[in-house]
Amino acid sequence: MSQDVRNLVKQYYPNFPSKHCGKIYHDTTEFMDISYGDVICVNGLHYMVLRDEVERRFGIEDPKFWVKRCRHLETGERKIIKLVFYEKFLLKLGEVEILCHRSPGKESRILDLVRGDMRFMQGVSYHDEKNNNVRVLDLIRGKSLDIVIYNIEEDHETYFRKHFPEILEKFIGACEAIGFMHSHGEKHGDIRRDHIWIESGTQKYRWIDFDYSFDFYENPFALDLFGLGGILAFITGKGDCTVGYLLERGFTKEDLAGLTEDDFSIVFHHRLVNLRKIYPYIPEKLNNILLHFSRGTDVFYDTVDEILGDLKPCLDLLGS
Amino acid sequence: MDPKKILIAVDASENSLRAVEYTGDMLGGGEGFHIELLTIERFPDRDLFETEEVWKTECKKNQAAYLDFMAKAQKILCDKGISEKQIFSRYIESCKSPLKSPPLICSMGTNIAHEIMGIIESEGFGTVVIGRRGVSKEVEFLFGSVSTKIVHYSKGCAVWIVN
């Protein structure tokens, strides 16, 4: 146990049990060793580690040992610290495998680009004494978009008429934020519905996690556009409209008999995107946007502006 | 538009090799052609590498592969009976190259099809030849496709897609 940590805790965090005081880390290379009660010192500031972050997807918890939930001792603020982890992994999208890389440098660059723009998570980057990148991120209090949608306990039509117009309006703002990134030559890299956080209080939609990178062939932003299309289908359908999901919600096999392969997602072949076939009150113009992400399409969106050009007029077609 | 002014857009891939061979087979022995091999340099993203040095090494390897391919392609065309005076080469460097300062005309690498079409239109090429990767619709959707874009958007020229 380090006397330095005890002194810091005594000064800044007297309620913290001294028996859990760990070590001070000026070098974060061995991030697996840094755990509860340790203190990361960077740029002269001290961050006590409270726990490793965990990503929850599809009911499974996936610990992220290079991401630490911390308390900034000097101010008492909660922070998230991301350490260097050069991970390569195959991301499977439907039948397609994409080699993804984690790039701390990319995330730092984007944090600089979006500083003060609350459509994005905020944070600063430092380097520890071994020149490892250390990103100190502000915590966003709120819930991810998928959780918020799941928690709306109403039937689809009520949801669509009562809640969807506001959700779509905010999603359009989120698309504009991605367009801003692209206009600066940056891609988000991992656009998913749980990477939009809805901040408590302000209800702002805020993008998180910019550290994914991948090689591309012709259009560096196509994967981001696909992500936006996926979220649009999710918020329009109030969930992933797989056949199983729809049967659970009262549709019969006869109701779904008219669906064809072309009505489903070009990448996730089990997710319906031609939603107007089952929810006929969805305006055709909005449905046509979704069809750009279907197996039947021959026309792809090339830019966020193209999506927005079609999406914005849809707002006037919604409501009761 | 001059149909005998032909642009072969190549990278160092097997698909490009097929495009070059096909052009040679079609035009070998002919006269009055202007056949230009065009390579637009595209390096892997810097973000995919841990250090600048590793990235530079990879870029050097890629550049060498591009240049080797250009030389090989010229030879293939010659061997198939196209006289040397009809063959031209153009290599457009990446604006983001870590190997040297980019020249005035360079490629941003974010829309290569658009850059190729710009050359076709501004310099009056009547025919463009390009190899197709033969990827699935899903892959084309997720990553884009130079040949598909050229088929969809080029105007005033013939497009030869070599599968």
Side-chain angles (χ1 to χ4, degrees):
Chain A
M1 190 187 306
S2 153
Q3 188 58 43
D4 291 342
V5 173
R6 281 181 166 219
N7 291 340
L8 281 166
V9 164
K10 196 171 164 189
Q11 185 179 355
Y12 294 116
Y13 196 6
N15 294 336
F16 188 80
S18 62
K19 65 178 180 181
H20 291 303
C21 288
K23 284 169 61 180
I24 290 194
Y25 283 85
H26 298 273
D27 169 7
T28 60
T29 309
E30 301 299 330
F31 59 80
M32 295 284 280
D33 295 344
I34 305 173
S35 60
Y36 178 65
D38 291 328
V39 171
I40 295 169
C41 178
V42 66
N43 197 40
L45 303 169
H46 300 87
Y47 300 90
M48 172 165 279
V49 175
L50 303 177
R51 61 177 168 85
D52 294 321
E53 277 292 309
V54 174
E55 190 166 75
R56 292 176 186 85
R57 289 201 87 192
F58 310 116
I60 297 166
E61 290 200 344
D62 186 16
K64 296 162 91 176
F65 298 109
W66 67 98
V67 186
K68 311 287 182 187
R69 182 70 68 101
C70 295
R71 178 188 169 102
H72 180 208
L73 288 177
E74 282 83 352
T75 63
E77 289 176 9
R78 294 294 170 103
K79 297 283 180 185
I80 292 171
I81 289 195
K82 279 179 142 177
L83 304 172
V84 170
F85 178 38
Y86 286 109
E87 182 190 21
K88 281 186 202 173
F89 54 94
L90 280 173
L91 176 70
K92 201 161 171 11
L93 292 179
E95 299 299 310
V96 182
E97 288 189 330
I98 299 167
L99 183 60
C100 283
H101 301 244
R102 266 185 208 288
S103 171
K106 171 179 177 266
E107 187 156 76
S108 289
R109 214 171 50 230
I110 293 176
L111 286 170
D112 287 344
L113 174 68
V114 302
R115 182 146 307 127
D117 185 338
M118 302 313 276
R119 298 176 299 179
F120 302 94
M121 73 176 185
Q122 297 289 300
V124 287
S125 306
Y126 303 111
H127 286 89
D128 68 14
E129 66 174 25
K130 288 286 167 70
N131 208 32
N132 292 307
N133 179 304
V134 178
R135 284 146 287 158
V136 180
L137 307 173
D138 295 346
L139 201 69
I140 301 174
R141 291 183 196 284
K143 290 193 173 89
S144 60
L145 176 63
D146 57 332
I147 299 295
V148 170
I149 302 278
Y150 281 132
N151 286 347
I152 298 174
E153 290 179 351
E154 276 166 314
D155 65 89
H156 185 271
E157 185 164 2
T158 310
Y159 158 83
F160 191 76
R161 298 197 188 285
K162 194 168 139 191
H163 300 279
F164 182 69
E166 188 188 340
I167 290 168
L168 182 63
E169 190 172 3
K170 290 192 167 157
F171 176 67
I172 285 172
C175 290
E176 287 170 338
I178 295 300
F180 168 81
M181 260 188 185
H182 291 181
S183 70
H184 286 81
E186 299 287 3
K187 47 186 181 277
H188 181 287
D190 194 17
I191 289 192
R192 304 185 333 210
R193 59 204 186 220
D194 58 340
H195 280 170
I196 294 179
W197 275 72
I198 302 178
E199 190 172 42
S200 304
T202 67
Q203 297 301 303
K204 282 185 175 157
Y205 281 29
R206 301 183 62 187
W207 289 105
I208 62 166
D209 281 5
F210 319 130
D211 57 348
Y212 272 33
S213 194
F214 50 85
D215 210 2
F216 62 92
Y217 194 74
E218 168 63 355
N219 185 352
F221 307 122
L223 206 56
D224 277 1
L225 301 181
F226 166 70
L228 292 178
I231 297 176
L232 181 63
F234 180 83
I235 60 174
T236 307
K238 193 178 179 290
D240 286 330
C241 292
T242 61
V243 169
Y245 174 94
L246 293 170
L247 290 173
E248 278 173 22
R249 272 150 190 80
F251 286 91
T252 64
K253 285 187 177 169
E254 289 70 36
D255 293 331
L256 307 180
L259 301 179
T260 68
E261 279 187 358
D262 284 355
D263 295 325
F264 288 82
S265 162
I266 186 169
V267 175
F268 297 114
H269 297 172
H270 58 297
R271 292 184 190 170
L272 183 70
V273 293
N274 191 359
L275 295 171
R276 193 173 147 87
K277 274 201 169 177
I278 52 164
Y279 301 129
Y281 41 85
I282 291 176
E284 196 168 355
K285 275 191 176 176
L286 175 58
N287 200 58
N288 283 344
I289 299 170
L290 296 174
L291 292 181
H292 283 75
F293 301 93
S294 73
R295 289 180 80 174
T297 189
D298 286 314
V299 184
F300 305 149
Y301 285 118
D302 271 343
T303 64
V304 174
D305 279 349
E306 285 177 11
I307 298 180
L308 285 170
D310 288 347
L311 196 52
K312 284 180 178 176
C314 294
L315 275 177
D316 294 334
L317 307 173
L318 302 174
S320 48
Chain B
M1 159 180 126
D2 177 2
K4 287 190 152 187
K5 191 170 180 187
I6 297 163
L7 188 74
I8 315 177
V10 296
D11 51 21
S13 67
E14 286 294 316
N15 324 306
S16 292
L17 189 63
R18 286 199 304 277
V20 172
E21 286 172 341
Y22 180 82
T23 309
D25 289 338
M26 290 290 284
L27 307 180
E31 286 299 326
F33 292 106
H34 171 114
I35 300 170
E36 190 154 333
L37 291 156
L38 168 70
T39 295
I40 297 179
E41 192 176 70
R42 190 180 79 77
F43 290 141
D45 210 282
R46 165 67 184 90
D47 292 332
L48 307 183
F49 299 88
E50 288 184 32
T51 67
E52 192 81 2
E53 277 317 300
V54 179
W55 179 46
K56 275 187 183 176
T57 304
E58 192 62 26
C59 292
K60 275 182 194 164
K61 267 201 278 184
N62 282 18
Q63 191 179 62
Y66 283 137
L67 295 172
D68 284 352
F69 184 91
M70 296 281 274
K72 187 177 167 185
Q74 283 201 44
K75 186 171 180 311
I76 289 170
L77 293 174
C78 285
D79 289 348
K80 288 187 181 281
I82 298 171
S83 60
E84 214 169 325
K85 65 174 191 227
Q86 297 182 94
I87 305 170
F88 302 84
S89 288
R90 188 187 314 196
Y91 186 82
I92 297 180
E93 289 170 75
S94 166
C95 303
K96 298 171 186 170
S97 173
L99 306 178
K100 61 178 195 177
S101 303
L104 203 57
I105 295 174
C106 58
S107 166
M108 288 304 291
T110 51
N111 197 336
I112 284 175
H114 183 77
E115 291 174 9
I116 294 171
M117 288 186 284
I119 292 170
I120 293 167
E121 282 172 28
S122 65
E123 300 184 24
F125 283 92
T127 305
V128 57
V129 190
I130 190 162
R132 198 201 282 276
R133 283 182 298 158
V135 295
S136 65
K137 195 171 176 182
E138 289 96 319
V139 171
E140 194 178 309
F141 174 79
L142 291 170
F143 294 100
S145 162
V146 177
S147 59
T148 300
K149 266 196 198 168
I150 287 176
V151 167
H152 280 177
Y153 299 114
S154 60
K155 288 178 192 159
C157 70
V159 183
W160 295 359
I161 298 290
V162 182
N163 279 315

